[in-house]
């Protein structure tokens, strides 16, 4: 049975998909509410509770022009932009708290043999997700409306591991990222299975502050391989840690938001949510 949070998210997701498709027409509150079969009053209240801003304010964060504006404001060097803005507000989260430890060559090759993996299911502002951890850190986090499918995909990454459904402290710390109370967040460690190149790209993604965006070309330049756009795109697409490693903040050089492993509508929601939260903090 679906929870009320899941139902609300599905309504918000449907509204965001509608806004994404029709933002050029700047639809009214009444038009959006009618699309999700809610009264304007009820929809306004639900959306404001979920996003922290009104649907009208949120709409401007979803447009391609918003993305282009963010890119224009950033310097040409992603690393410099990250470090310059990484010492204040919520953007310091990734620079100071999240650290990656790659798996050993043996763990990488043997499919997680001798690894004990705890996993649990949780709710988030962007729908249900599965989060999993080893003794060293978070090894997987993915959005999925189907819990069985989510677990099956986790098993495919670590076919020889031992599994236990258990919410541990590592997972709880990671889930605090969806809270606005950053003081509750302990240091988050990630234990990742990936090539040296993939881990380098994922580490670079952690330097993109909340509420800001980067292009594939910027990521390639930052890792010192400006011709590796396609390889960078593949590494971004294979990111196993949703939201914590913010691959949703990578967009096309044109300013278009592009696709996302866990759904384009969800990516749009994340970008708008982070931008709206930052705007509220600055107000």
């Amino acid at each position: 049975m679906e929870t009320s949070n899941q139902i609300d998210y599905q309504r918000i997701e449907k509204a965001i998909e509608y806004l994404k498709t029709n933002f050029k027409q700047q639809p009214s509150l009444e038009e959006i509410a009618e699309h999700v079969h809610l009264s304007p009053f009820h929809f306004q209240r639900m959306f404001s509770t979920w996003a922290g801003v009104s649907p009208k304010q949120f709409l401007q964060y979803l447009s391609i022009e918003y993305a282009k504006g963010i890119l224009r404001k950033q310097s040409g060097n992603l690393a410099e932009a990250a470090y310059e803005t990484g010492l204040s507000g919520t953007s310091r989260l990734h620079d100071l708290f999240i650290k990656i430890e790659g798996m050993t060559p043996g763990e990488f090759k043997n499919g997680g043999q001798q690894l004990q993996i705890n996993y649990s299911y949780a709710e988030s502002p962007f729908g249900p997700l599965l989060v999993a951890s080893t003794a060293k850190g978070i090894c997987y986090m993915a959005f999925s409306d189907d819990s069985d499918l989510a677990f099956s995909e986790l098993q495919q990454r670590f076919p020889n591991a031992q599994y236990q459904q258990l919410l541990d402290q590592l997972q709880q710390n990671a889930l605090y990222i969806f809270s606005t109370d950053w003081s509750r967040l302990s240091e988050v460690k990630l234990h990742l299975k990936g090539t040296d190149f993939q881990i380098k790209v994922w580490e670079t993604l952690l330097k993109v502050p909340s509420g800001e965006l980067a292009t594939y070309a910027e990521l390639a330049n930052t890792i010192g391989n400006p011709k590796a756009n396609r390889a960078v795109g593949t590494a971004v697409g294979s990111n196993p840690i949703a939201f914590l490693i913010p691959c949703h903040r990578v967009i096309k050089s044109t300013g278009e938001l592009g696709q996302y492993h866990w759904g384009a509508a969800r990516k749009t929601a994340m970008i708008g949510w982070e931008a709206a939260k930052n705007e509220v903090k600055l107000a």
Side-chain angles (χ1 to χ4, degrees):
M1 180 179 293
E2 292 181 316
T3 67
S4 60
N5 282 340
Q6 287 176 296
I7 294 172
D8 287 348
Y9 172 75
Q10 288 168 2
R11 285 171 170 160
I12 296 299
E13 182 182 35
K14 186 176 181 180
I16 287 171
E17 187 62 43
Y18 178 78
L19 288 170
K20 181 182 177 183
T21 304
N22 298 281
F23 71 88
K24 290 182 179 179
Q25 285 72 45
Q26 295 292 298
S28 67
L29 174 66
E30 289 75 18
E31 289 172 322
I32 308 168
E34 182 180 1
H35 184 72
V36 295
H37 309 294
L38 291 173
S39 70
F41 173 78
H42 190 189
F43 175 69
Q44 172 96 355
R45 185 173 60 180
M46 178 189 295
F47 195 98
S48 297
T49 298
W50 178 85
V53 293
S54 70
K56 182 178 180 180
Q57 290 173 306
F58 193 82
L59 178 59
Q60 65 182 311
Y61 301 128
L62 303 185
S63 70
I64 292 176
E65 287 307 311
Y66 163 75
K68 289 180 178 177
I70 289 291
L71 292 177
R72 283 194 293 267
K73 287 193 295 184
Q74 292 178 1
S75 69
N77 187 305
L78 174 61
E80 288 180 8
Y83 287 119
E84 285 173 4
T85 60
L87 297 178
S88 62
T90 59
S91 59
R92 68 196 295 270
L93 174 73
H94 288 127
D95 286 333
L96 300 183
F97 287 102
I98 298 180
K99 297 181 180 179
I100 291 178
E101 177 177 338
M103 293 192 176
T104 65
E107 290 170 331
F108 187 97
K109 291 179 181 179
N110 64 23
Q113 190 174 357
Q114 297 182 343
L115 277 180
Q116 173 64 49
I117 295 179
N118 296 333
Y119 70 96
S120 61
Y121 301 97
E123 294 292 334
S124 80
F126 313 107
L129 56 78
L130 180 149
V131 57
S133 57
T134 70
K136 294 182 179 179
I138 300 298
C139 63
Y140 187 76
M141 191 158 87
F143 296 102
S144 179
D145 297 321
D146 185 328
S147 58
D148 292 335
L149 177 61
F151 181 61
S152 176
E153 291 176 346
L154 169 62
Q155 287 181 305
Q156 290 174 23
R157 295 190 66 87
F158 305 100
N160 299 320
Q162 301 296 315
Y163 292 94
Q164 179 180 14
Q165 185 170 350
L166 174 68
L167 175 63
D168 58 30
Q169 190 64 51
L170 288 165
Q171 296 166 27
Q172 290 178 336
N173 289 342
L175 292 171
Y176 284 144
I177 195 172
F178 296 111
S179 168
T180 55
D181 182 9
W182 302 113
S183 63
R184 298 179 64 195
L185 184 69
S186 300
E187 182 179 288
V188 174
K189 294 182 179 179
L190 308 180
H191 188 202
L192 300 186
K193 176 183 178 182
T195 65
D196 290 343
F197 181 82
Q198 287 174 323
I199 289 177
K200 191 173 185 179
V201 171
W202 298 337
E203 286 176 332
T204 304
L205 281 172
L206 293 176
K207 296 182 175 70
V208 183
S210 175
E212 298 197 18
L213 304 170
T215 66
Y216 297 102
E218 286 179 318
L219 293 176
N221 285 328
T222 300
I223 66 174
N225 198 341
K227 296 183 179 180
N229 287 22
R230 182 168 296 182
V232 165
T234 300
V236 170
S238 62
N239 167 32
I241 309 288
F243 201 84
L244 277 171
I245 297 179
C247 56
H248 60 280
R249 296 177 192 157
V250 184
I251 66 174
K252 297 179 179 180
S253 297
T254 60
E256 295 176 276
L257 301 185
Q259 296 302 308
Y260 183 57
H261 179 73
W262 292 285
R266 186 171 272 125
K267 176 178 183 176
T268 304
M270 291 176 181
I271 290 174
W273 186 78
E274 290 183 333
K277 292 292 184 183
N278 281 7
E279 188 74 15
V280 169
K281 290 179 184 298
L282 294 174

